[in-house]
Amino acid sequence: MARMSGQGEVWSFTIVGSGDYAPEGFEYLAPYAVAIVRLDEGMLVTAMLTDVDLKEIKIGMKVEMVIRKKRDQGDRGLLVYGYSFRPPIGQ
């Protein structure tokens, strides 16, 4: 197992529009961006983009990994967290 820096750049992305196209449980987030991020170590990962204006996303944009709540299944008392990427703070 190797440690990754969590730093990378947007390699490709798409915008998930209205709730009609979002997967079940993620409708409330739409519209949102999903990207393929090339990590500085060379690996490609798929993740949601967060803390960014959808109109400002571009190929090659620098991003960093963050942990975000993905969904809240209150009826079961379950909170689901996962990684997302955002533009680095201060840039």
Side-chain angles (χ1 to χ4, degrees), residues 11-73:
W11 189 73
S12 182
F13 72 95
T14 190
I15 305 296
V16 177
S18 71
D20 295 338
Y21 298 105
E24 184 178 340
F26 293 89
E27 303 90 347
Y28 74 100
L29 293 172
Y32 61 90
V34 175
I36 298 174
V37 173
R38 181 180 295 277
L39 297 175
D40 288 350
E41 294 80 12
M43 297 168 56
L44 296 173
V45 296
T46 304
M48 293 173 97
L49 296 180
T50 188
D51 305 334
V52 64
D53 184 330
L54 298 179
K55 296 177 201 134
E56 295 180 11
I57 300 169
K58 60 184 179 223
I59 303 299
M61 181 174 85
K62 296 292 185 189
V63 291
E64 65 184 3
M65 189 187 81
V66 293
I67 302 298
R68 292 286 189 263
K69 183 170 83 169
K70 298 297 181 179
R71 47 180 149 161
D72 181 351
Q73 295 178 332

